[in-house]
């Protein structure tokens, strides 16, 4: 498939030895709507039928992620990068069939991150990553409520998404080793999504009035 200016994973694995491939692009081809089994993470219908890839199923991904970060109280650029890295790791782990889930054998891997699922998977992962980070004092419940209001969703549905992803993280849970983090960080810093987020941040800073004290 051709590359896309959008983030994310087609799946992969992250065992303790950090083996597994990482892909930071969403396939351009559209999913088979009538054949794909729907989950809580699937958009029910296209939001923009004239668009392709992720833009067909929801807002511009870079703007969407940045708005979600602001909603859960993650504003500083360095904090945003850290939360998005953790979210990316969680999405990869939750969607991988190689993730060990001995503590919850009935739990299954989440759907792959595709154009139709990327927005909702991202929200759940950002909520979990923000809750696991010291840069955010908001509880998951509070975050779910804010996300629900900001994106016109049912709070119970948002909480269900977070719960399903938390279960799908398997035996490792939210634990991320330094080597896993560094591996993702190297790939992430060259991704188009981070570049777009940084560009958006620069535009915000330029648009903010400068107050000069007398």
């Amino acid at each position: 498939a051709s590359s896309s200016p959008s983030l994310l994973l087609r799946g992969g694995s992250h065992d303790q030895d950090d083996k597994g491939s990482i892909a930071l692009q969403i396939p351009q081809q559209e999913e088979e709507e009538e054949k794909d089994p729907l989950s809580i993470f699937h958009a029910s219908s296209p939001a923009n039928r004239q668009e392709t890839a992720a833009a067909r199923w929801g807002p511009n991904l870079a703007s969407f992620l940045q708005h979600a970060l602001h909603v859960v109280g993650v504003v500083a650029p360095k904090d945003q990068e850290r939360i998005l890295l953790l979210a990316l790791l969680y999405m990869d782990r939750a969607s991988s069939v190689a993730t060990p889930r001995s503590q919850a054998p009935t739990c299954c891997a989440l759907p792959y991150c595709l154009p139709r699922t990327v927005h909702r998977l991202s929200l759940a992962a950002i909520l979990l990553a923000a809750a696991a980070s010291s840069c955010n004092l908001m509880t998951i419940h509070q975050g779910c409520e804010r996300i629900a209001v900001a994106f016109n969703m049912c709070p119970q549905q948002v909480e269900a998404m977070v719960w399903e992803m938390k279960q799908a993280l398997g035996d490792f849970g939210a634990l991320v080793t330094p080597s896993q983090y560094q591996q993702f960080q190297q790939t992430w810093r060259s991704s188009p999504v981070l570049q777009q987020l940084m560009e958006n941040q620069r535009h915000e800073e330029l648009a903010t009035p400068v107050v000069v004290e007398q």
Side-chain angles (χ1 to χ4, degrees):
S2 59
S3 61
S4 164
S6 300
L7 164 71
L8 267 263
L9 307 163
R10 176 70 195 188
S13 65
H14 275 287
D15 297 329
Q16 289 180 322
D17 60 358
D18 293 323
K19 292 181 180 178
S21 60
I22 302 174
L24 288 179
Q25 288 163 354
I26 298 175
Q28 287 280 10
Q29 67 266 27
E30 300 300 329
E31 296 173 274
E32 296 286 344
E33 293 180 41
E34 68 279 3
K35 296 180 181 179
D36 238 11
L38 297 184
S39 73
I40 194 173
F41 296 100
H42 284 77
S44 58
S45 60
N48 307 292
R49 293 184 178 275
Q50 304 304 315
E51 300 289 344
T52 60
R56 175 178 173 85
W57 298 98
N60 171 271
L61 191 54
S63 300
F64 177 84
L65 293 173
Q66 188 168 53
H67 183 46
L69 289 168
H70 278 267
V71 169
V72 297
V74 182
V75 179
K78 288 185 177 180
D79 290 339
Q80 289 186 347
E81 180 181 356
R82 182 164 64 253
I83 294 302
L84 285 173
L85 273 168
L86 284 174
L88 182 61
L89 274 159
Y90 292 163
M91 292 170 70
D92 184 59
R93 184 177 294 173
S95 65
S96 173
V97 294
T99 297
R101 299 182 175 89
S102 61
Q103 303 301 317
T106 59
C107 180
C108 300
L110 296 187
Y112 284 148
C113 190
L114 296 170
R116 192 170 182 176
T117 60
V118 59
H119 294 88
R120 292 186 170 215
L121 285 170
S122 298
L123 287 180
I126 285 174
L127 283 164
L128 284 174
S133 174
S134 59
C135 71
N136 187 279
L137 301 178
M138 190 180 305
T139 66
I140 290 183
H141 179 72
Q142 291 171 330
C144 288
E145 289 186 335
R146 292 193 181 189
I147 287 292
V149 171
F151 294 99
N152 194 29
M153 299 175 68
C154 171
Q156 290 77 16
Q157 186 178 55
V158 178
E159 290 187 354
M161 289 161 44
V162 172
W163 184 86
E164 285 198 21
M165 177 167 286
K166 188 175 181 179
Q167 295 298 306
L169 290 177
D171 298 349
F172 297 147
L175 176 65
V176 175
T177 65
S179 58
Q180 287 174 331
Y181 186 90
Q182 290 168 8
Q183 183 183 10
F184 265 84
Q185 188 177 48
Q186 292 172 358
T187 309
W188 169 245
R189 286 185 168 170
S190 63
S191 86
V193 172
L194 178 60
Q195 295 169 14
Q196 183 63 54
L197 288 171
M198 293 175 64
E199 184 65 24
N200 290 349
Q201 185 71 26
R202 283 194 289 267
H203 287 165
E204 286 185 3
E205 291 173 353
L206 290 174
T208 301
V210 177
V211 178
V212 179
E213 295 184 2
Q214 300 296 327

